Amino acid sequence: MKTKLINLAVASAFMMAAGTAVAEDAYQGSWYLMPGIGVMHADNDLDADDNDVAYSLRLGKQLSEHWDVQVGASHAQADEDSNLYNSGKFKQTLFGVDALYMFSRDNFRPFLLAGLGAARNKVGYSNPAGNSESNTSWMANVGVGFQYLINETVGLQADLRHVWSKAEATGVFGAAGAKDEETIGNTYLNLG
C-alpha cells in the first residue's frame, strides 16, 4: 500500500510538471545534471551525530519561466553518539522529485522547493540486544535556496531543506526492546 501511495505521489508530481510545461507552450528550458555534497543534521530522536556528510545527484529541467523540476537521489550517514549503544550508524537514502519555484531567471535565482519520494532509513546501532532495523517509507521535503549561473554552461545551487520520513528501530525511540516507528525530520544543507 505504501509503495502504491509513493508511486502515485511521484506520478502526480510529473503530471503537474508536464501540465505546467504544456501551458507555457514555447518555453525551451535547459536540462542540467547536478552532483552535490552537503551536510545532514540528524533528528535528535535518532541519537546520531549532529552533522555528517551527504552526497547527492540530481537531474533537473527548466519547465517555464518560474518552474523547474529535479529528480534525484541522496545518501547520508551519521555515527551513533549516545551512551546507550556501543557503536553503529544511521543511514538515510532518499529518492524523490522536487518542484522549484524560481523567483528570477537572472544569474542569481532564488527559489522555494517542495518534493515527495521515498526514503530508506537504517538504524544500525550495536546494543546489548544486537538489534538493527531498516525500512522504506514515504519522504516529503520543503526548502529554500538559490542557483547562481557562472556562465552559460556552469552554475551552482545551494539549498537548505527539511526532510520528513519514517524510521523504525528497537530501543531507539522508546524503551529498550520495544519496537517503535516514528516520523523523523533531518535537515540538509546542500551545494551542487
Side-chain angles (χ1 to χ4, degrees), residues 164-180:
W164 292 275
S165 64
K166 292 268 189 191
E168 183 176 310
T170 302
V172 173
F173 302 114
K179 200 175 255 194
D180 195 8

Side-chain angles (χ1 to χ4, degrees), residues 70-108:
Q70 293 180 354
V71 179
S74 63
H75 178 78
Q77 62 184 26
D79 291 330
E80 183 278 327
D81 76 344
S82 75
N83 295 325
L84 300 173
Y85 310 99
N86 299 326
S87 64
K89 293 188 182 298
F90 164 72
K91 297 179 184 179
Q92 184 173 58
T93 303
L94 305 170
F95 177 78
V97 178
D98 296 325
L100 284 69
Y101 180 80
M102 311 299 286
F103 290 99
S104 168
R105 286 291 180 190
D106 296 332
N107 283 355
F108 179 73

Side-chain angles (χ1 to χ4, degrees), residues 7-187:
N7 291 339
L8 180 62
V10 171
S12 296
F14 275 122
M15 289 190 306
M16 286 187 320
T20 302
V22 170
E24 301 201 18
D25 304 324
Y27 191 81
Q28 298 294 319
S30 301
W31 286 92
Y32 52 92
L33 183 64
M34 185 176 58
I37 190 164
V39 176
M40 176 187 68
H41 180 79
D43 189 305
N44 290 336
D45 288 342
L46 291 169
D47 293 327
D49 284 344
D50 286 339
N51 299 302
D52 273 296
V53 177
Y55 304 96
S56 62
L57 183 63
R58 291 185 172 82
L59 177 65
K61 170 78 169 111
Q62 296 175 359
L63 298 177
S64 71
E65 182 182 344
H66 291 288
W67 291 98
D68 277 20
V69 66
Q70 293 180 354
V71 179
S74 63
H75 178 78
Q77 62 184 26
D79 291 330
E80 183 278 327
D81 76 344
S82 75
N83 295 325
L84 300 173
Y85 310 99
N86 299 326
S87 64
K89 293 188 182 298
F90 164 72
K91 297 179 184 179
Q92 184 173 58
T93 303
L94 305 170
F95 177 78
V97 178
D98 296 325
L100 284 69
Y101 180 80
M102 311 299 286
F103 290 99
S104 168
R105 286 291 180 190
D106 296 332
N107 283 355
F108 179 73
R109 303 172 172 184
F111 63 82
L112 298 175
L113 72 87
L116 296 171
R120 178 80 174 158
N121 294 310
K122 180 175 184 181
V123 180
Y125 300 159
S126 301
N127 58 27
N131 295 320
S132 175
E133 295 289 337
S134 300
N135 73 319
T136 302
S137 77
W138 56 269
M139 176 274 294
N141 71 130
V142 295
V144 61
F146 68 88
Q147 294 176 345
Y148 181 77
L149 294 183
I150 297 169
N151 59 42
E152 288 186 20
T153 57
V154 177
L156 295 173
Q157 177 174 309
D159 65 68
L160 178 67
R161 63 181 69 204
H162 193 74
V163 178
W164 292 275
S165 64
K166 292 268 189 191
E168 183 176 310
T170 302
V172 173
F173 302 114
K179 200 175 255 194
D180 195 8
E181 183 174 83
E182 183 173 307
T183 299
I184 59 168
N186 297 328
T187 302

